[in-house]
Structures are given as C-alpha cells and as structure tokens.
Coordinates of all heavy atoms in Angstrom, one line a residue:
W369 N 15.1 5.4 1.7 CA 15.6 5.7 3.0 C 16.4 7.1 2.9 O 16.3 7.9 3.9 CB 16.5 4.7 3.6 CG 15.8 3.5 4.1 CD1 14.5 3.5 4.7 CD2 16.2 2.1 4.2 NE1 14.2 2.2 5.1 CE2 15.2 1.4 4.8 CE3 17.4 1.5 3.9 CZ2 15.3 0.0 5.1 CZ3 17.5 0.2 4.1 CH2 16.5 -0.6 4.7
T370 N 17.1 7.2 1.9 CA 17.9 8.5 1.7 C 17.0 9.7 1.6 O 17.2 10.7 2.2 CB 18.8 8.4 0.5 OG1 19.6 7.2 0.6 CG2 19.7 9.6 0.3
Q371 N 15.9 9.5 0.8 CA 14.9 10.6 0.7 C 14.2 10.9 2.0 O 14.0 12.0 2.4 CB 13.9 10.3 -0.4 CG 14.5 10.3 -1.8 CD 13.4 9.9 -2.8 OE1 12.3 9.5 -2.5 NE2 13.8 10.1 -4.1
M372 N 13.9 9.8 2.7 CA 13.2 10.0 4.0 C 14.1 10.7 5.0 O 13.7 11.6 5.8 CB 12.8 8.6 4.6 CG 11.6 8.0 3.9 SD 11.3 6.3 4.6 CE 11.0 6.6 6.3
L373 N 15.4 10.3 5.1 CA 16.3 10.9 6.0 C 16.5 12.4 5.6 O 16.5 13.3 6.5 CB 17.7 10.2 5.9 CG 18.8 10.7 6.9 CD1 18.3 10.5 8.3 CD2 20.1 10.0 6.7
A374 N 16.6 12.7 4.3 CA 16.7 14.1 3.9 C 15.5 14.9 4.3 O 15.6 16.1 4.8 CB 17.0 14.2 2.4
S375 N 14.3 14.4 4.1 CA 13.1 15.1 4.5 C 13.0 15.2 6.0 O 12.5 16.2 6.5 CB 11.9 14.5 3.9 OG 11.6 13.2 4.4
N376 N 13.3 14.2 6.8 CA 13.3 14.3 8.2 C 14.3 15.2 8.8 O 14.0 15.8 9.9 CB 13.4 12.9 8.8 CG 12.2 12.0 8.6 OD1 11.1 12.4 8.3 ND2 12.5 10.7 8.6
L377 N 15.4 15.4 8.1 CA 16.4 16.3 8.7 C 16.0 17.8 8.6 O 16.5 18.6 9.3 CB 17.7 16.1 7.9 CG 18.6 14.9 8.3 CD1 19.8 14.8 7.4 CD2 19.1 15.1 9.8
K378 N 15.0 18.0 7.7 CA 14.5 19.4 7.6 C 13.8 19.9 8.9 O 13.8 21.0 9.2 CB 13.6 19.6 6.4 CG 14.3 19.4 5.1 CD 13.3 19.5 3.9 CE 14.0 19.3 2.6 NZ 13.1 19.3 1.5
S379 N 13.2 18.9 9.6 CA 12.4 19.3 10.7 C 12.9 18.7 12.1 O 12.5 19.2 13.1 CB 10.9 18.8 10.5 OG 10.9 17.4 10.4
D380 N 13.7 17.7 12.0 CA 14.2 17.1 13.3 C 15.7 17.1 13.3 O 16.4 17.4 12.3 CB 13.8 15.6 13.3 CG 12.3 15.5 13.3 OD1 11.6 16.4 13.9 OD2 11.8 14.5 12.7
S381 N 16.3 16.8 14.5 CA 17.7 16.7 14.7 C 18.2 15.4 14.0 O 17.4 14.6 13.6 CB 18.1 16.7 16.1 OG 17.7 15.5 16.7
F382 N 19.5 15.3 13.8 CA 20.0 14.1 13.1 C 19.6 12.8 13.8 O 19.2 11.9 13.1 CB 21.6 14.2 13.0 CG 22.2 13.1 12.3 CD1 22.1 13.0 10.9 CD2 22.8 12.0 12.9 CE1 22.6 11.9 10.2 CE2 23.4 11.0 12.2 CZ 23.3 10.9 10.9
G383 N 19.8 12.7 15.1 CA 19.4 11.5 15.8 C 17.9 11.1 15.7 O 17.6 10.0 15.4
E384 N 17.1 12.1 15.8 CA 15.6 11.9 15.7 C 15.3 11.5 14.3 O 14.4 10.7 14.1 CB 14.9 13.2 16.1 CG 15.0 13.5 17.6 CD 14.4 14.8 18.0 OE1 13.9 15.5 17.0 OE2 14.3 15.2 19.2
A385 N 15.9 12.2 13.3 CA 15.6 11.9 11.9 C 16.1 10.5 11.6 O 15.4 9.8 10.8 CB 16.3 12.9 11.0
L386 N 17.2 10.1 12.1 CA 17.7 8.7 11.8 C 16.7 7.7 12.4 O 16.4 6.7 11.8 CB 19.1 8.6 12.4 CG 20.0 7.5 11.9 CD1 20.2 7.6 10.4 CD2 21.3 7.4 12.7
V387 N 16.3 7.9 13.7 CA 15.4 6.9 14.3 C 14.1 6.9 13.5 O 13.5 5.8 13.3 CB 15.2 7.3 15.8 CG1 14.0 6.5 16.4 CG2 16.4 7.1 16.6
K388 N 13.6 8.1 13.2 CA 12.3 8.2 12.5 C 12.3 7.5 11.1 O 11.4 6.9 10.6 CB 11.9 9.6 12.3 CG 10.5 9.9 12.0 CD 10.2 11.4 12.1 CE 8.8 11.7 11.8 NZ 8.5 13.1 11.8
T389 N 13.5 7.5 10.5 CA 13.7 6.9 9.1 C 13.7 5.4 9.2 O 13.0 4.7 8.4 CB 15.0 7.4 8.5 OG1 15.0 8.8 8.4 CG2 15.2 6.8 7.1
F390 N 14.3 4.9 10.2 CA 14.5 3.4 10.2 C 13.7 2.7 11.2 O 13.8 1.4 11.4 CB 16.0 3.1 10.5 CG 16.9 3.5 9.4 CD1 17.8 4.6 9.6 CD2 16.9 2.9 8.2 CE1 18.6 5.0 8.5 CE2 17.7 3.3 7.1 CZ 18.6 4.4 7.3
D391 N 12.8 3.3 12.0 CA 12.0 2.6 12.9 C 10.8 1.8 12.3 O 10.3 0.9 12.9 CB 11.4 3.5 14.0 CG 10.4 4.5 13.5 OD1 10.2 4.6 12.3 OD2 9.9 5.3 14.3
G392 N 10.4 2.1 11.1 CA 9.4 1.3 10.5 C 8.0 1.8 10.8 O 7.0 1.3 10.2
K393 N 7.9 2.8 11.7 CA 6.6 3.3 12.0 C 6.1 4.5 11.2 O 5.0 4.9 11.2 CB 6.6 3.8 13.5 CG 6.8 2.6 14.5 CD 7.0 3.2 15.9 CE 7.3 2.0 16.8 NZ 7.6 2.5 18.2
H394 N 7.1 5.1 10.4 CA 6.8 6.2 9.6 C 7.3 6.0 8.2 O 8.1 6.7 7.6 CB 7.6 7.5 10.2 CG 7.3 7.7 11.6 ND1 8.1 7.2 12.6 CD2 6.4 8.4 12.2 CE1 7.7 7.6 13.8 NE2 6.6 8.3 13.6
P395 N 6.7 5.0 7.5 CA 7.1 4.7 6.1 C 6.6 5.8 5.1 O 5.5 6.4 5.3 CB 6.5 3.4 5.8 CG 5.3 3.3 6.6 CD 5.6 4.1 7.9
C396 N 7.4 6.1 4.1 CA 7.0 7.1 3.1 C 6.2 6.3 2.0 O 6.1 5.1 2.1 CB 8.3 7.7 2.5 SG 9.3 6.6 1.6
C397 N 5.7 7.0 1.0 CA 4.9 6.4 0.0 C 5.7 5.4 -0.8 O 5.3 4.4 -1.3 CB 4.2 7.5 -0.9 SG 5.4 8.6 -1.7
L398 N 7.0 5.8 -1.0 CA 7.9 4.9 -1.8 C 8.1 3.6 -1.0 O 8.1 2.5 -1.6 CB 9.2 5.6 -2.1 CG 10.2 4.8 -3.0 CD1 9.5 4.4 -4.4 CD2 11.4 5.6 -3.3
C399 N 8.3 3.7 0.3 CA 8.5 2.5 1.1 C 7.3 1.6 1.1 O 7.4 0.3 1.0 CB 8.8 2.8 2.5 SG 10.4 3.6 2.8
K400 N 6.1 2.2 1.1 CA 4.9 1.4 1.1 C 4.7 0.7 -0.3 O 4.3 -0.4 -0.4 CB 3.7 2.3 1.3 CG 3.6 2.9 2.7 CD 2.5 3.9 2.9 CE 2.5 4.5 4.2 NZ 1.4 5.5 4.3
R401 N 5.1 1.4 -1.3 CA 5.0 0.9 -2.7 C 5.9 -0.3 -2.9 O 5.6 -1.3 -3.5 CB 5.2 2.0 -3.7 CG 5.1 1.6 -5.1 CD 3.7 1.3 -5.5 NE 3.6 0.8 -6.8 CZ 3.2 1.5 -7.9 NH1 2.8 2.7 -7.8 NH2 3.1 0.9 -9.1
I402 N 7.2 -0.1 -2.4 CA 8.2 -1.2 -2.5 C 7.7 -2.4 -1.7 O 7.8 -3.6 -2.2 CB 9.5 -0.7 -1.9 CG1 10.1 0.3 -2.9 CG2 10.5 -1.9 -1.8 CD1 11.3 1.0 -2.3
S403 N 7.1 -2.2 -0.6 CA 6.6 -3.4 0.2 C 5.5 -4.1 -0.5 O 5.5 -5.3 -0.5 CB 6.1 -2.9 1.6 OG 5.6 -3.9 2.4
T404 N 4.5 -3.4 -1.1 CA 3.4 -4.1 -1.8 C 3.9 -4.8 -3.0 O 3.5 -5.9 -3.3 CB 2.3 -3.1 -2.1 OG1 2.9 -2.0 -2.9 CG2 1.7 -2.5 -0.9
E405 N 4.9 -4.2 -3.7 CA 5.4 -4.8 -5.0 C 6.2 -6.0 -4.7 O 6.2 -7.0 -5.4 CB 6.2 -3.8 -5.8 CG 5.4 -2.7 -6.4 CD 4.4 -3.1 -7.4 OE1 4.7 -4.1 -8.2 OE2 3.3 -2.6 -7.5
K406 N 7.0 -6.0 -3.6 CA 7.8 -7.2 -3.2 C 6.8 -8.3 -2.8 O 7.1 -9.5 -3.2 CB 8.7 -6.9 -2.0 CG 9.9 -6.1 -2.4 CD 10.8 -5.7 -1.2 CE 11.4 -6.9 -0.6 NZ 12.4 -6.5 0.5
K407 N 5.7 -8.0 -2.2 CA 4.8 -9.1 -1.8 C 4.1 -9.7 -3.0 O 3.8 -10.9 -3.1 CB 3.8 -8.6 -0.8 CG 4.4 -8.3 0.6 CD 3.4 -7.8 1.5 CE 4.0 -7.4 2.8 NZ 3.1 -6.7 3.7
S408 N 3.7 -8.8 -4.0 CA 3.0 -9.3 -5.1 C 3.9 -9.8 -6.3 O 3.4 -10.3 -7.3 CB 2.1 -8.1 -5.7 OG 3.0 -7.1 -6.2
E409 N 5.2 -9.7 -6.1 CA 6.1 -10.2 -7.1 C 5.9 -11.7 -7.3 O 5.8 -12.5 -6.3 CB 7.5 -9.9 -6.7 CG 8.5 -10.3 -7.8 CD 9.9 -9.9 -7.3 OE1 10.3 -8.7 -7.3 OE2 10.7 -10.8 -7.0
K410 N 5.8 -12.1 -8.5 CA 5.6 -13.6 -8.8 C 6.9 -14.3 -8.6 O 7.9 -14.0 -9.1 CB 5.2 -13.7 -10.3 CG 4.9 -15.2 -10.7 CD 4.5 -15.3 -12.1 CE 4.3 -16.7 -12.5 NZ 4.2 -16.9 -13.9
K411 N 6.8 -15.4 -7.8 CA 7.9 -16.2 -7.6 C 8.1 -17.2 -8.7 O 7.1 -17.5 -9.4 CB 7.7 -17.0 -6.3 CG 7.6 -16.2 -5.1 CD 8.8 -15.4 -4.8 CE 8.7 -14.6 -3.5 NZ 9.8 -13.7 -3.3
S412 N 9.3 -17.6 -9.0 CA 9.5 -18.5 -10.1 C 8.9 -19.9 -9.8 O 8.8 -20.4 -8.7 CB 11.0 -18.7 -10.4 OG 11.6 -19.3 -9.3
D413 N 8.4 -20.5 -10.9 CA 7.7 -21.8 -10.8 C 8.7 -23.0 -10.9 O 8.3 -24.1 -11.0 CB 6.6 -22.0 -11.8 CG 5.5 -21.0 -11.6 OD1 5.3 -20.6 -10.5 OD2 4.9 -20.6 -12.6
F414 N 10.0 -22.7 -11.0 CA 11.0 -23.7 -11.1 C 11.2 -24.4 -9.8 O 11.7 -23.8 -8.8 CB 12.3 -23.1 -11.7 CG 13.4 -24.1 -11.9 CD1 13.3 -24.9 -12.9 CD2 14.5 -24.1 -11.0 CE1 14.4 -25.8 -13.1 CE2 15.5 -25.0 -11.2 CZ 15.4 -25.9 -12.3
N415 N 10.9 -25.7 -9.8 CA 11.2 -26.5 -8.6 C 12.2 -27.6 -8.9 O 11.9 -28.3 -9.8 CB 9.9 -27.1 -8.0 CG 8.9 -26.0 -7.5 OD1 9.4 -25.0 -7.0 ND2 7.7 -26.3 -7.6
L416 N 13.2 -27.7 -8.2 CA 14.2 -28.7 -8.4 C 13.9 -29.8 -7.4 O 14.1 -29.6 -6.2 CB 15.6 -28.1 -8.2 CG 16.7 -29.1 -8.4 CD1 16.7 -29.6 -9.8 CD2 18.1 -28.4 -8.1

C-alpha cells in the first residue's frame, strides 16, 4: 500500500491517490501476489 500510494501520488492528487490505493479496483502486482499466496497457504491440520 505504501508503494502504491507513492506511485499514485506522482500522477494524482493526494485524495485521488488515497482512494485509488485503497479501493481494491487498482491492485498492484505485489497486492495480487499477496492475495494468491494467502489463498494457497496451507492451513494447519491440527484439529482440537
């Protein structure tokens, strides 16, 4: 998010960059990778 905000501030105003960063419609490559890795992460098999 910090990297996205910094890159969005280069072309947009602060308010627009903030909305663009956190709206979820404009994910960066790192955000996409984090999302796929969180989904594929193996859950523990420990059941109590």
Side-chain angles (χ1 to χ4, degrees):
W369 283 332
T370 304
Q371 289 178 351
M372 286 174 58
L373 184 61
S375 66
N376 287 338
L377 281 173
K378 291 178 183 176
S379 61
D380 299 326
S381 68
F382 181 74
E384 293 171 356
L386 200 61
V387 169
K388 197 173 181 182
T389 300
F390 295 109
D391 67 355
K393 297 176 185 175
H394 307 91
C396 66
C397 59
L398 185 57
C399 290
K400 292 175 186 176
R401 181 73 187 254
I402 290 170
S403 178
T404 56
E405 291 296 323
K406 280 175 72 172
K407 289 178 185 174
S408 67
E409 186 178 286
K410 181 182 176 189
K411 299 293 180 188
S412 65
D413 294 333
F414 181 73
N415 292 330
L416 179 63

